[in-house]
């Protein structure tokens, strides 16, 4: 018994020392790991600030390996992969987050939203739609609906786009009446393509009621009426458009001149366009006036006078090129070369430019092909901006 007691007494200090050493080792290891994780994190942040995304990704991967339970690092890494265009890796990161049982509910919704954005950027629209619909009732619902709206617009699913737009408007996310009218016009175009004129007319009538001040529904209705061999009715519709959307006169005037000539209403329309031009000089209105005068048998000299008068109002290379086209030069043999040079120089000035992204095009678009913004193209050409 004495032997056993002495052995225990001897072992106690040894056990104490070993325990103390073990605790010191654990603390030291913990401090090392805690220093490594923030170091890797700040290293990645520094790379991000210097726009070195490859090195930032490597640093964040190192940080995630040191602290795999930190969701913020996973979110940062997933966002970096998406910005780099590595959508598959971004999807894996966000799917890994969603598979974790210990993830907070708000972080789960956040990961679901990030995963939906990954699918959108990758062009996987069906998967994106499925992921976005799961965010109903969360704090990401409004963002998800806006993304869904863009998704439906890209896939030209105008009926579902209209449903989402109405939902957003009912929840105080702004007015979507302009977009809803565009959706109806797009549906009308699809009906015209299948020769369903009655349904197209119904869509356009609804579009005019939805956005009474928008120029497109009346312009499209006039085009439909002209297709149905009703040029006088088309002229009346465009005349209404001049009243409800006067800023779009540059788009309306060429159509109005064309339909007025067909309907035999050139004189009345000419007077109306001259009054509009006197109020707001525009090259497109001027071209419509010249076309109407030419149809009435006015001499070409009158057209040159109009362009010369426009040059007195404002300097315009486009008007100068059109004026000089009908003018006789002192060295007439060089006229074709001079005219070609002028026509080439004015081409960029006759384009339309998106006010949102700067994308330029020969024709006017209701939705920008570059940034997908609606009504971002002014009704005036580049030279007149």
């Amino acid at each position: 018994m004495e032997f056993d007691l002495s052995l225990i007494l001897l072992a106690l200090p040894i056990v104490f020392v070993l325990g103390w050493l073990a605790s010191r080792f654990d603390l030291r290891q913990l401090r090392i790991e805690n220093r490594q994780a923030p170091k890797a994190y700040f290293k990645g942040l520094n790379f991000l600030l210097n726009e070195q995304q490859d090195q930032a990704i490597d640093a964040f991967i190192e940080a995630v390996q040191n602290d795999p339970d930190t969701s913020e690092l996973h979110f940062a890494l997933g966002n970096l992969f998406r910005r780099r265009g590595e959508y598959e890796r971004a999807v894996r990161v966000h799917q890994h987050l969603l598979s974790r049982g210990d993830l907070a509910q708000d972080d789960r919704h956040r990961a679901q939203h990030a995963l939906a954005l990954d699918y959108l950027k990758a062009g996987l629209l069906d998967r994106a739609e499925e992921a976005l619909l799961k965010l109903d009732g969360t704090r990401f619902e409004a963002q998800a609906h806006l993304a869904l709206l863009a998704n439906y617009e890209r896939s030209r699913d105008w009926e579902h786009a209209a449903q989402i737009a109405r939902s957003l408007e009912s929840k105080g996310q702004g007015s979507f009446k302009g977009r809803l009218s565009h959706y109806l016009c797009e549906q009308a175009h699809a009906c015209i393509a299948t020769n369903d004129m009655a349904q197209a007319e119904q869509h356009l009538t609804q579009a005019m009621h939805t956005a009474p001040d928008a120029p497109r529904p009346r312009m499209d209705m006039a085009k439909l009426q002209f297709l149905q061999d009703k040029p006088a009715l088309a002229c009346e519709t465009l005349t209404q458009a001049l009243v409800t959307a006067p800023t779009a006169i540059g788009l309306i005037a060429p159509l109005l001149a064309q339909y007025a000539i067909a309907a035999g209403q050139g004189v009345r329309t000419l007077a109306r366009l001259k009054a509009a031009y006197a109020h707001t000089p525009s090259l497109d209105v001027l071209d419509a006036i010249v076309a109407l005068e030419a149809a009435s048998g006015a001499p070409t000299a009158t057209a040159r006078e109009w362009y010369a008068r426009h040059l007195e109002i404002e300097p315009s290379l486009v008007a100068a090129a059109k004026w000089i086209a009908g003018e006789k030069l002192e060295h007439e043999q060089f006229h074709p070369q001079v005219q070609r040079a002028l026509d080439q120089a004015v081409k960029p000035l006759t384009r339309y430019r998106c006010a949102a992204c700067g994308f330029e095009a020969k024709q006017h678009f209701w939705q920008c092909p570059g940034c997908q913004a609606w009504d971002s193209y002014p009704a005036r050409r580049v030279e007149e901006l």
Side-chain angles (χ1 to χ4, degrees), residues 171-194:
K171 292 173 183 175
Q173 294 296 319
S175 174
F176 288 82
K177 295 190 185 304
R179 283 201 188 193
L180 287 168
S181 73
H182 282 302
Y183 299 159
L184 288 163
C185 290
E186 293 290 345
Q187 288 175 271
H189 284 187
C191 291
I192 292 171
T194 58

Side-chain angles (χ1 to χ4, degrees), residues 13 25 28 44 85 140 143 185 205 219 237 275 282 284 291 325 355 358-359 368 372 375 377:
F25 178 78
R28 186 183 171 200
F140 294 97
Q143 297 175 49
C185 290
T205 302
M219 289 176 65
T237 303
S282 164
D284 287 299
F359 186 91
C368 176
Q372 307 301 309
D375 294 320
Y377 275 87

